[in-house]
Amino acid sequence: SAVISQKPSRDICQRGTSLTIQCQVDSQVTMMFWYRQQPGQSLTLIATANQGSEATYESGFVIDKFPISRPNLTFSTLTVSNMSPEDSSIYLCSVAGRSSEAFFGQGTRLTVV
Amino acid sequence: SQELEQSPQSLIVQEGKNLTINCTSSKTLYGLYWYKQKYGEGLIFLMMLQKGGEEKSHEKITAKLDEKKQQSSLHITASQPSHAGIYLCGADRTKTSYDKVIFGPGTSLSVIP
């Protein structure tokens, strides 16, 4: 199994500002994933982050709005840029285990005011 | 379009009662995951099913994947208040291991003491 630490666990931000969420894994993983869960909805994949290459974004998500870094095999960041109240969500990072299980961080609860 | 459907959307049961949550897809599921989410917490991995007809149990929770690998059910026996939360089914989008997971809309379970 993998232990994932996400920071911050929650934040309240002013519209127009940016927030960077960190995801630290206790083991080396090839692929890390970032999800968003808007209020009352299920998880939606934002992008896949591979070490050494640019992140791959899902339809509806763009790099300018959600830049991602993946400097090594245990760490990734997701930035929510130029925030608006519609960005208020829970953001989760996830990694795939060797037995195809998926592990998730505790999530970052973002409120944009 | 929603690739995974879950039913029911929400469920309220009396403590001690049995219940079943269903997850269906129009496409073959290469890996089917069940997660539980409590308010303010990250996802808790419950079980993963990969083979048609597979069934797994953990404590009072049993999950099954049908032979066609297009439908899964999660059954809770003698429910307890601790079972309350949102249950999400997730599935591998492709055959490739370590791939991203897509999710159903979730089923909200409340257990009344």
Side-chain angles (χ1 to χ4, degrees):
Chain A
S1 64
V3 177
I4 303 172
S5 301
Q6 252 186 265
K7 290 194 292 186
S9 58
R10 60 178 62 231
D11 207 342
I12 301 173
C13 301
Q14 294 287 334
R15 67 181 67 198
T17 63
S18 297
L19 175 72
T20 295
I21 302 167
Q22 299 179 3
C23 182
Q24 179 76 51
V25 190
D26 67 343
S27 57
Q28 293 184 338
V29 292
T30 305
M31 300 171 76
M32 295 178 74
F33 309 97
W34 286 97
Y35 291 87
R36 179 177 74 181
Q37 185 175 27
Q38 293 177 299
Q41 298 187 27
S42 186
L43 292 163
T44 302
L45 181 64
I46 298 173
T48 302
N50 295 326
Q51 195 267 334
S53 63
E54 284 209 359
T56 304
Y57 289 83
E58 297 296 306
S59 175
F61 298 96
V62 295
I63 187 171
D64 290 344
K65 176 67 177 177
F66 297 100
I68 288 171
S69 78
R70 184 79 202 275
N72 57 55
L73 291 173
T74 63
F75 187 78
S76 177
T77 67
L78 170 77
T79 299
V80 186
S81 304
N82 188 25
M83 288 184 285
S84 66
E86 291 71 36
D87 294 320
S88 298
S89 295
I90 297 174
Y91 293 86
L92 292 117
C93 69
S94 169
V95 303
R98 292 193 174 277
S99 58
S100 294
E101 296 173 32
F103 300 95
F104 291 83
Q106 290 299 100
T108 297
R109 183 177 294 273
L110 170 62
T111 303
V112 184
V113 298
Chain B
S1 64
Q2 190 73 43
E3 295 187 51
L4 286 178
E5 303 287 341
Q6 276 186 247
S7 62
Q9 184 178 13
S10 64
L11 199 54
I12 302 174
V13 300
Q14 200 77 36
E15 182 177 359
K17 296 294 185 183
N18 303 335
L19 64 105
T20 299
I21 299 169
N22 294 301
C23 176
T24 59
S25 173
S26 58
K27 302 175 184 177
T28 300
L29 303 171
Y30 294 102
L32 191 287
Y33 308 82
W34 282 101
Y35 296 93
K36 178 183 174 184
Q37 185 179 34
K38 288 201 164 185
Y39 178 79
E41 300 181 15
L43 291 174
I44 299 169
F45 172 75
L46 296 175
M47 272 171 278
M48 179 184 69
L49 305 167
Q50 288 186 302
K51 299 176 183 176
E54 187 175 8
E55 179 177 322
K56 288 187 178 179
S57 294
H58 177 67
E59 297 180 345
K60 294 184 178 181
I61 301 176
T62 300
K64 300 178 185 179
L65 182 62
D66 75 339
E67 290 290 343
K68 290 185 178 180
K69 295 168 62 175
Q70 289 184 295
Q71 181 172 353
S72 178
S73 61
L74 185 81
H75 184 75
I76 299 177
T77 304
S79 58
Q80 301 169 353
S82 61
H83 288 127
I86 296 174
Y87 288 81
L88 288 158
C89 65
D92 290 329
R93 191 179 290 178
T94 68
K95 286 184 180 179
T96 307
S97 294
Y98 317 138
D99 206 343
K100 47 200 171 236
V101 178
I102 58 171
F103 291 89
T107 295
S108 176
L109 171 63
S110 301
V111 180
I112 302 171

PDB file of all heavy atoms in Angstrom, chain B residues 37-67:
ATOM      1  N   GLN B  37     -16.439   7.022   1.447  1.00  0.00           N
ATOM      2  CA  GLN B  37     -15.979   8.364   1.791  1.00  0.00           C
ATOM      3  C   GLN B  37     -16.860   8.929   2.895  1.00  0.00           C
ATOM      4  O   GLN B  37     -18.085   8.983   2.760  1.00  0.00           O
ATOM      5  CB  GLN B  37     -16.027   9.279   0.570  1.00  0.00           C
ATOM      6  CG  GLN B  37     -15.455  10.652   0.831  1.00  0.00           C
ATOM      7  CD  GLN B  37     -15.493  11.522  -0.415  1.00  0.00           C
ATOM      8  OE1 GLN B  37     -16.402  11.418  -1.229  1.00  0.00           O
ATOM      9  NE2 GLN B  37     -14.506  12.390  -0.562  1.00  0.00           N
ATOM     10  N   LYS B  38     -16.195   9.341   3.945  1.00  0.00           N
ATOM     11  CA  LYS B  38     -16.931  10.032   5.011  1.00  0.00           C
ATOM     12  C   LYS B  38     -16.683  11.521   4.875  1.00  0.00           C
ATOM     13  O   LYS B  38     -15.651  11.945   4.342  1.00  0.00           O
ATOM     14  CB  LYS B  38     -16.467   9.539   6.382  1.00  0.00           C
ATOM     15  CG  LYS B  38     -16.939   8.135   6.700  1.00  0.00           C
ATOM     16  CD  LYS B  38     -16.915   7.883   8.190  1.00  0.00           C
ATOM     17  CE  LYS B  38     -17.731   6.650   8.530  1.00  0.00           C
ATOM     18  NZ  LYS B  38     -17.853   6.416   9.975  1.00  0.00           N
ATOM     19  N   TYR B  39     -17.628  12.305   5.386  1.00  0.00           N
ATOM     20  CA  TYR B  39     -17.532  13.754   5.251  1.00  0.00           C
ATOM     21  C   TYR B  39     -16.209  14.259   5.811  1.00  0.00           C
ATOM     22  O   TYR B  39     -15.840  13.938   6.920  1.00  0.00           O
ATOM     23  CB  TYR B  39     -18.701  14.425   5.980  1.00  0.00           C
ATOM     24  CG  TYR B  39     -18.635  15.930   5.908  1.00  0.00           C
ATOM     25  CD1 TYR B  39     -19.053  16.593   4.758  1.00  0.00           C
ATOM     26  CD2 TYR B  39     -18.125  16.680   6.958  1.00  0.00           C
ATOM     27  CE1 TYR B  39     -18.979  17.978   4.677  1.00  0.00           C
ATOM     28  CE2 TYR B  39     -18.062  18.056   6.879  1.00  0.00           C
ATOM     29  CZ  TYR B  39     -18.484  18.695   5.732  1.00  0.00           C
ATOM     30  OH  TYR B  39     -18.398  20.059   5.653  1.00  0.00           O
ATOM     31  N   GLY B  40     -15.534  15.068   4.992  1.00  0.00           N
ATOM     32  CA  GLY B  40     -14.289  15.667   5.456  1.00  0.00           C
ATOM     33  C   GLY B  40     -13.100  14.739   5.444  1.00  0.00           C
ATOM     34  O   GLY B  40     -12.021  15.130   5.883  1.00  0.00           O
ATOM     35  N   GLU B  41     -13.266  13.535   4.935  1.00  0.00           N
ATOM     36  CA  GLU B  41     -12.157  12.591   4.919  1.00  0.00           C
ATOM     37  C   GLU B  41     -11.862  12.146   3.495  1.00  0.00           C
ATOM     38  O   GLU B  41     -12.639  12.357   2.579  1.00  0.00           O
ATOM     39  CB  GLU B  41     -12.488  11.372   5.782  1.00  0.00           C
ATOM     40  CG  GLU B  41     -12.763  11.695   7.239  1.00  0.00           C
ATOM     41  CD  GLU B  41     -13.061  10.451   8.042  1.00  0.00           C
ATOM     42  OE1 GLU B  41     -12.780   9.343   7.568  1.00  0.00           O
ATOM     43  OE2 GLU B  41     -13.586  10.600   9.162  1.00  0.00           O
ATOM     44  N   GLY B  42     -10.715  11.528   3.334  1.00  0.00           N
ATOM     45  CA  GLY B  42     -10.368  10.997   2.030  1.00  0.00           C
ATOM     46  C   GLY B  42     -11.094   9.697   1.759  1.00  0.00           C
ATOM     47  O   GLY B  42     -11.860   9.202   2.568  1.00  0.00           O
ATOM     48  N   LEU B  43     -10.838   9.158   0.591  1.00  0.00           N
ATOM     49  CA  LEU B  43     -11.471   7.898   0.215  1.00  0.00           C
ATOM     50  C   LEU B  43     -10.819   6.730   0.937  1.00  0.00           C
ATOM     51  O   LEU B  43      -9.606   6.692   1.105  1.00  0.00           O
ATOM     52  CB  LEU B  43     -11.345   7.676  -1.286  1.00  0.00           C
ATOM     53  CG  LEU B  43     -12.149   8.608  -2.171  1.00  0.00           C
ATOM     54  CD1 LEU B  43     -11.813   8.354  -3.619  1.00  0.00           C
ATOM     55  CD2 LEU B  43     -13.619   8.441  -1.939  1.00  0.00           C
ATOM     56  N   ILE B  44     -11.639   5.786   1.335  1.00  0.00           N
ATOM     57  CA  ILE B  44     -11.144   4.557   1.936  1.00  0.00           C
ATOM     58  C   ILE B  44     -11.367   3.431   0.944  1.00  0.00           C
ATOM     59  O   ILE B  44     -12.504   3.183   0.512  1.00  0.00           O
ATOM     60  CB  ILE B  44     -11.888   4.248   3.251  1.00  0.00           C
ATOM     61  CG1 ILE B  44     -11.674   5.382   4.255  1.00  0.00           C
ATOM     62  CG2 ILE B  44     -11.406   2.918   3.839  1.00  0.00           C
ATOM     63  CD1 ILE B  44     -12.574   5.281   5.459  1.00  0.00           C
ATOM     64  N   PHE B  45     -10.303   2.761   0.575  1.00  0.00           N
ATOM     65  CA  PHE B  45     -10.403   1.647  -0.360  1.00  0.00           C
ATOM     66  C   PHE B  45     -11.049   0.461   0.352  1.00  0.00           C
ATOM     67  O   PHE B  45     -10.626   0.058   1.429  1.00  0.00           O
ATOM     68  CB  PHE B  45      -9.002   1.279  -0.855  1.00  0.00           C
ATOM     69  CG  PHE B  45      -8.946   0.028  -1.668  1.00  0.00           C
ATOM     70  CD1 PHE B  45      -9.388   0.019  -2.972  1.00  0.00           C
ATOM     71  CD2 PHE B  45      -8.451  -1.137  -1.122  1.00  0.00           C
ATOM     72  CE1 PHE B  45      -9.328  -1.134  -3.728  1.00  0.00           C
ATOM     73  CE2 PHE B  45      -8.385  -2.304  -1.864  1.00  0.00           C
ATOM     74  CZ  PHE B  45      -8.824  -2.307  -3.170  1.00  0.00           C
ATOM     75  N   LEU B  46     -12.087  -0.103  -0.276  1.00  0.00           N
ATOM     76  CA  LEU B  46     -12.764  -1.258   0.303  1.00  0.00           C
ATOM     77  C   LEU B  46     -12.339  -2.554  -0.376  1.00  0.00           C
ATOM     78  O   LEU B  46     -11.856  -3.471   0.276  1.00  0.00           O
ATOM     79  CB  LEU B  46     -14.290  -1.094   0.185  1.00  0.00           C
ATOM     80  CG  LEU B  46     -14.911   0.079   0.950  1.00  0.00           C
ATOM     81  CD1 LEU B  46     -16.396   0.199   0.640  1.00  0.00           C
ATOM     82  CD2 LEU B  46     -14.696  -0.073   2.444  1.00  0.00           C
ATOM     83  N   MET B  47     -12.575  -2.630  -1.674  1.00  0.00           N
ATOM     84  CA  MET B  47     -12.288  -3.863  -2.392  1.00  0.00           C
ATOM     85  C   MET B  47     -12.056  -3.607  -3.870  1.00  0.00           C
ATOM     86  O   MET B  47     -12.535  -2.628  -4.412  1.00  0.00           O
ATOM     87  CB  MET B  47     -13.456  -4.851  -2.239  1.00  0.00           C
ATOM     88  CG  MET B  47     -13.346  -5.742  -1.018  1.00  0.00           C
ATOM     89  SD  MET B  47     -14.817  -6.708  -0.717  1.00  0.00           S
ATOM     90  CE  MET B  47     -15.841  -5.517   0.116  1.00  0.00           C
ATOM     91  N   MET B  48     -11.348  -4.522  -4.491  1.00  0.00           N
ATOM     92  CA  MET B  48     -11.141  -4.479  -5.928  1.00  0.00           C
ATOM     93  C   MET B  48     -11.528  -5.821  -6.528  1.00  0.00           C
ATOM     94  O   MET B  48     -11.180  -6.869  -5.981  1.00  0.00           O
ATOM     95  CB  MET B  48      -9.679  -4.190  -6.249  1.00  0.00           C
ATOM     96  CG  MET B  48      -9.381  -4.163  -7.742  1.00  0.00           C
ATOM     97  SD  MET B  48      -7.634  -3.926  -8.096  1.00  0.00           S
ATOM     98  CE  MET B  48      -6.948  -5.469  -7.524  1.00  0.00           C
ATOM     99  N   LEU B  49     -12.244  -5.785  -7.637  1.00  0.00           N
ATOM    100  CA  LEU B  49     -12.657  -7.001  -8.338  1.00  0.00           C
ATOM    101  C   LEU B  49     -12.164  -6.913  -9.768  1.00  0.00           C
ATOM    102  O   LEU B  49     -12.246  -5.863 -10.401  1.00  0.00           O
ATOM    103  CB  LEU B  49     -14.187  -7.119  -8.330  1.00  0.00           C
ATOM    104  CG  LEU B  49     -14.858  -7.082  -6.953  1.00  0.00           C
ATOM    105  CD1 LEU B  49     -16.350  -6.881  -7.090  1.00  0.00           C
ATOM    106  CD2 LEU B  49     -14.560  -8.365  -6.186  1.00  0.00           C
ATOM    107  N   GLN B  50     -11.655  -8.024 -10.262  1.00  0.00           N
ATOM    108  CA  GLN B  50     -11.117  -8.000 -11.615  1.00  0.00           C
ATOM    109  C   GLN B  50     -11.712  -9.062 -12.522  1.00  0.00           C
ATOM    110  O   GLN B  50     -11.825  -8.868 -13.733  1.00  0.00           O
ATOM    111  CB  GLN B  50      -9.592  -8.159 -11.580  1.00  0.00           C
ATOM    112  CG  GLN B  50      -8.873  -6.933 -11.054  1.00  0.00           C
ATOM    113  CD  GLN B  50      -7.373  -7.060 -11.177  1.00  0.00           C
ATOM    114  OE1 GLN B  50      -6.770  -7.982 -10.660  1.00  0.00           O
ATOM    115  NE2 GLN B  50      -6.752  -6.122 -11.876  1.00  0.00           N
ATOM    116  N   LYS B  51     -12.071 -10.193 -11.941  1.00  0.00           N
ATOM    117  CA  LYS B  51     -12.521 -11.309 -12.775  1.00  0.00           C
ATOM    118  C   LYS B  51     -14.038 -11.425 -12.779  1.00  0.00           C
ATOM    119  O   LYS B  51     -14.695 -11.196 -11.754  1.00  0.00           O
ATOM    120  CB  LYS B  51     -11.925 -12.611 -12.254  1.00  0.00           C
ATOM    121  CG  LYS B  51     -10.405 -12.621 -12.283  1.00  0.00           C
ATOM    122  CD  LYS B  51      -9.877 -13.899 -11.665  1.00  0.00           C
ATOM    123  CE  LYS B  51      -8.358 -13.895 -11.625  1.00  0.00           C
ATOM    124  NZ  LYS B  51      -7.825 -15.091 -10.945  1.00  0.00           N
ATOM    125  N   GLY B  52     -14.589 -11.799 -13.917  1.00  0.00           N
ATOM    126  CA  GLY B  52     -16.022 -12.032 -14.017  1.00  0.00           C
ATOM    127  C   GLY B  52     -16.468 -13.086 -13.014  1.00  0.00           C
ATOM    128  O   GLY B  52     -15.845 -14.136 -12.923  1.00  0.00           O
ATOM    129  N   GLY B  53     -17.528 -12.791 -12.272  1.00  0.00           N
ATOM    130  CA  GLY B  53     -18.021 -13.738 -11.285  1.00  0.00           C
ATOM    131  C   GLY B  53     -17.313 -13.650  -9.943  1.00  0.00           C
ATOM    132  O   GLY B  53     -17.669 -14.363  -8.997  1.00  0.00           O
ATOM    133  N   GLU B  54     -16.330 -12.781  -9.838  1.00  0.00           N
ATOM    134  CA  GLU B  54     -15.546 -12.691  -8.611  1.00  0.00           C
ATOM    135  C   GLU B  54     -16.382 -12.106  -7.472  1.00  0.00           C
ATOM    136  O   GLU B  54     -17.207 -11.224  -7.686  1.00  0.00           O
ATOM    137  CB  GLU B  54     -14.300 -11.828  -8.842  1.00  0.00           C
ATOM    138  CG  GLU B  54     -13.337 -11.810  -7.676  1.00  0.00           C
ATOM    139  CD  GLU B  54     -12.058 -11.044  -8.002  1.00  0.00           C
ATOM    140  OE1 GLU B  54     -11.994 -10.411  -9.073  1.00  0.00           O
ATOM    141  OE2 GLU B  54     -11.127 -11.089  -7.173  1.00  0.00           O
ATOM    142  N   GLU B  55     -16.113 -12.597  -6.275  1.00  0.00           N
ATOM    143  CA  GLU B  55     -16.792 -12.109  -5.082  1.00  0.00           C
ATOM    144  C   GLU B  55     -15.774 -12.007  -3.958  1.00  0.00           C
ATOM    145  O   GLU B  55     -14.960 -12.903  -3.761  1.00  0.00           O
ATOM    146  CB  GLU B  55     -17.924 -13.061  -4.680  1.00  0.00           C
ATOM    147  CG  GLU B  55     -18.670 -12.649  -3.430  1.00  0.00           C
ATOM    148  CD  GLU B  55     -19.833 -13.582  -3.112  1.00  0.00           C
ATOM    149  OE1 GLU B  55     -20.503 -14.036  -4.062  1.00  0.00           O
ATOM    150  OE2 GLU B  55     -20.066 -13.845  -1.915  1.00  0.00           O
ATOM    151  N   LYS B  56     -15.815 -10.874  -3.257  1.00  0.00           N
ATOM    152  CA  LYS B  56     -14.907 -10.678  -2.124  1.00  0.00           C
ATOM    153  C   LYS B  56     -15.696 -10.173  -0.929  1.00  0.00           C
ATOM    154  O   LYS B  56     -16.684  -9.454  -1.086  1.00  0.00           O
ATOM    155  CB  LYS B  56     -13.814  -9.671  -2.473  1.00  0.00           C
ATOM    156  CG  LYS B  56     -12.779 -10.200  -3.435  1.00  0.00           C
ATOM    157  CD  LYS B  56     -11.650  -9.200  -3.594  1.00  0.00           C
ATOM    158  CE  LYS B  56     -10.580  -9.750  -4.523  1.00  0.00           C
ATOM    159  NZ  LYS B  56      -9.475  -8.775  -4.726  1.00  0.00           N
ATOM    160  N   SER B  57     -15.220 -10.537   0.245  1.00  0.00           N
ATOM    161  CA  SER B  57     -15.882 -10.089   1.470  1.00  0.00           C
ATOM    162  C   SER B  57     -14.858  -9.549   2.448  1.00  0.00           C
ATOM    163  O   SER B  57     -13.720 -10.032   2.515  1.00  0.00           O
ATOM    164  CB  SER B  57     -16.637 -11.249   2.126  1.00  0.00           C
ATOM    165  OG  SER B  57     -17.706 -11.670   1.325  1.00  0.00           O
ATOM    166  N   HIS B  58     -15.273  -8.548   3.177  1.00  0.00           N
ATOM    167  CA  HIS B  58     -14.448  -8.012   4.253  1.00  0.00           C
ATOM    168  C   HIS B  58     -15.392  -7.587   5.364  1.00  0.00           C
ATOM    169  O   HIS B  58     -16.219  -6.695   5.184  1.00  0.00           O
ATOM    170  CB  HIS B  58     -13.623  -6.824   3.785  1.00  0.00           C
ATOM    171  CG  HIS B  58     -12.814  -6.204   4.876  1.00  0.00           C
ATOM    172  ND1 HIS B  58     -11.767  -6.848   5.475  1.00  0.00           N
ATOM    173  CD2 HIS B  58     -12.923  -5.013   5.495  1.00  0.00           C
ATOM    174  CE1 HIS B  58     -11.255  -6.071   6.409  1.00  0.00           C
ATOM    175  NE2 HIS B  58     -11.934  -4.946   6.440  1.00  0.00           N
ATOM    176  N   GLU B  59     -15.270  -8.283   6.488  1.00  0.00           N
ATOM    177  CA  GLU B  59     -16.176  -8.051   7.612  1.00  0.00           C
ATOM    178  C   GLU B  59     -17.612  -8.217   7.119  1.00  0.00           C
ATOM    179  O   GLU B  59     -17.968  -9.264   6.626  1.00  0.00           O
ATOM    180  CB  GLU B  59     -15.892  -6.694   8.240  1.00  0.00           C
ATOM    181  CG  GLU B  59     -14.466  -6.651   8.813  1.00  0.00           C
ATOM    182  CD  GLU B  59     -14.106  -5.339   9.457  1.00  0.00           C
ATOM    183  OE1 GLU B  59     -14.819  -4.349   9.239  1.00  0.00           O
ATOM    184  OE2 GLU B  59     -13.094  -5.303  10.166  1.00  0.00           O
ATOM    185  N   LYS B  60     -18.429  -7.210   7.186  1.00  0.00           N
ATOM    186  CA  LYS B  60     -19.830  -7.396   6.811  1.00  0.00           C
ATOM    187  C   LYS B  60     -20.150  -6.881   5.416  1.00  0.00           C
ATOM    188  O   LYS B  60     -21.321  -6.709   5.049  1.00  0.00           O
ATOM    189  CB  LYS B  60     -20.730  -6.698   7.836  1.00  0.00           C
ATOM    190  CG  LYS B  60     -20.660  -7.334   9.218  1.00  0.00           C
ATOM    191  CD  LYS B  60     -21.624  -6.679  10.179  1.00  0.00           C
ATOM    192  CE  LYS B  60     -21.568  -7.355  11.540  1.00  0.00           C
ATOM    193  NZ  LYS B  60     -22.515  -6.739  12.491  1.00  0.00           N
ATOM    194  N   ILE B  61     -19.111  -6.626   4.643  1.00  0.00           N
ATOM    195  CA  ILE B  61     -19.311  -6.084   3.307  1.00  0.00           C
ATOM    196  C   ILE B  61     -18.864  -7.101   2.258  1.00  0.00           C
ATOM    197  O   ILE B  61     -17.761  -7.623   2.335  1.00  0.00           O
ATOM    198  CB  ILE B  61     -18.531  -4.773   3.125  1.00  0.00           C
ATOM    199  CG1 ILE B  61     -18.995  -3.745   4.155  1.00  0.00           C
ATOM    200  CG2 ILE B  61     -18.712  -4.236   1.714  1.00  0.00           C
ATOM    201  CD1 ILE B  61     -18.215  -2.443   4.128  1.00  0.00           C
ATOM    202  N   THR B  62     -19.742  -7.359   1.297  1.00  0.00           N
ATOM    203  CA  THR B  62     -19.456  -8.287   0.213  1.00  0.00           C
ATOM    204  C   THR B  62     -19.649  -7.580  -1.122  1.00  0.00           C
ATOM    205  O   THR B  62     -20.661  -6.917  -1.330  1.00  0.00           O
ATOM    206  CB  THR B  62     -20.387  -9.512   0.268  1.00  0.00           C
ATOM    207  OG1 THR B  62     -20.211 -10.178   1.507  1.00  0.00           O
ATOM    208  CG2 THR B  62     -20.087 -10.475  -0.879  1.00  0.00           C
ATOM    209  N   ALA B  63     -18.696  -7.729  -2.012  1.00  0.00           N
ATOM    210  CA  ALA B  63     -18.800  -7.136  -3.340  1.00  0.00           C
ATOM    211  C   ALA B  63     -18.710  -8.235  -4.389  1.00  0.00           C
ATOM    212  O   ALA B  63     -17.951  -9.186  -4.244  1.00  0.00           O
ATOM    213  CB  ALA B  63     -17.702  -6.100  -3.562  1.00  0.00           C
ATOM    214  N   LYS B  64     -19.508  -8.084  -5.443  1.00  0.00           N
ATOM    215  CA  LYS B  64     -19.525  -9.063  -6.513  1.00  0.00           C
ATOM    216  C   LYS B  64     -19.394  -8.356  -7.862  1.00  0.00           C
ATOM    217  O   LYS B  64     -19.862  -7.237  -8.033  1.00  0.00           O
ATOM    218  CB  LYS B  64     -20.846  -9.848  -6.513  1.00  0.00           C
ATOM    219  CG  LYS B  64     -21.133 -10.608  -5.250  1.00  0.00           C
ATOM    220  CD  LYS B  64     -22.489 -11.296  -5.336  1.00  0.00           C
ATOM    221  CE  LYS B  64     -22.860 -11.966  -4.019  1.00  0.00           C
ATOM    222  NZ  LYS B  64     -24.201 -12.616  -4.089  1.00  0.00           N
ATOM    223  N   LEU B  65     -18.773  -9.041  -8.807  1.00  0.00           N
ATOM    224  CA  LEU B  65     -18.693  -8.547 -10.177  1.00  0.00           C
ATOM    225  C   LEU B  65     -19.339  -9.599 -11.059  1.00  0.00           C
ATOM    226  O   LEU B  65     -18.988 -10.781 -10.973  1.00  0.00           O
ATOM    227  CB  LEU B  65     -17.233  -8.320 -10.568  1.00  0.00           C
ATOM    228  CG  LEU B  65     -16.964  -7.759 -11.965  1.00  0.00           C
ATOM    229  CD1 LEU B  65     -17.585  -6.382 -12.136  1.00  0.00           C
ATOM    230  CD2 LEU B  65     -15.456  -7.701 -12.226  1.00  0.00           C
ATOM    231  N   ASP B  66     -20.274  -9.212 -11.899  1.00  0.00           N
ATOM    232  CA  ASP B  66     -20.981 -10.212 -12.702  1.00  0.00           C
ATOM    233  C   ASP B  66     -20.086 -10.801 -13.780  1.00  0.00           C
ATOM    234  O   ASP B  66     -18.977 -10.314 -14.037  1.00  0.00           O
ATOM    235  CB  ASP B  66     -22.254  -9.608 -13.288  1.00  0.00           C
ATOM    236  CG  ASP B  66     -21.980  -8.671 -14.456  1.00  0.00           C
ATOM    237  OD1 ASP B  66     -20.835  -8.168 -14.562  1.00  0.00           O
ATOM    238  OD2 ASP B  66     -22.900  -8.419 -15.246  1.00  0.00           O
ATOM    239  N   GLU B  67     -20.581 -11.882 -14.380  1.00  0.00           N
ATOM    240  CA  GLU B  67     -19.770 -12.622 -15.360  1.00  0.00           C
ATOM    241  C   GLU B  67     -19.383 -11.754 -16.556  1.00  0.00           C
ATOM    242  O   GLU B  67     -18.305 -11.904 -17.118  1.00  0.00           O
ATOM    243  CB  GLU B  67     -20.538 -13.863 -15.846  1.00  0.00           C
ATOM    244  CG  GLU B  67     -20.693 -14.962 -14.801  1.00  0.00           C
ATOM    245  CD  GLU B  67     -19.391 -15.668 -14.477  1.00  0.00           C
ATOM    246  OE1 GLU B  67     -18.425 -15.552 -15.265  1.00  0.00           O
ATOM    247  OE2 GLU B  67     -19.316 -16.348 -13.444  1.00  0.00           O
TER     248      GLU B  67
END
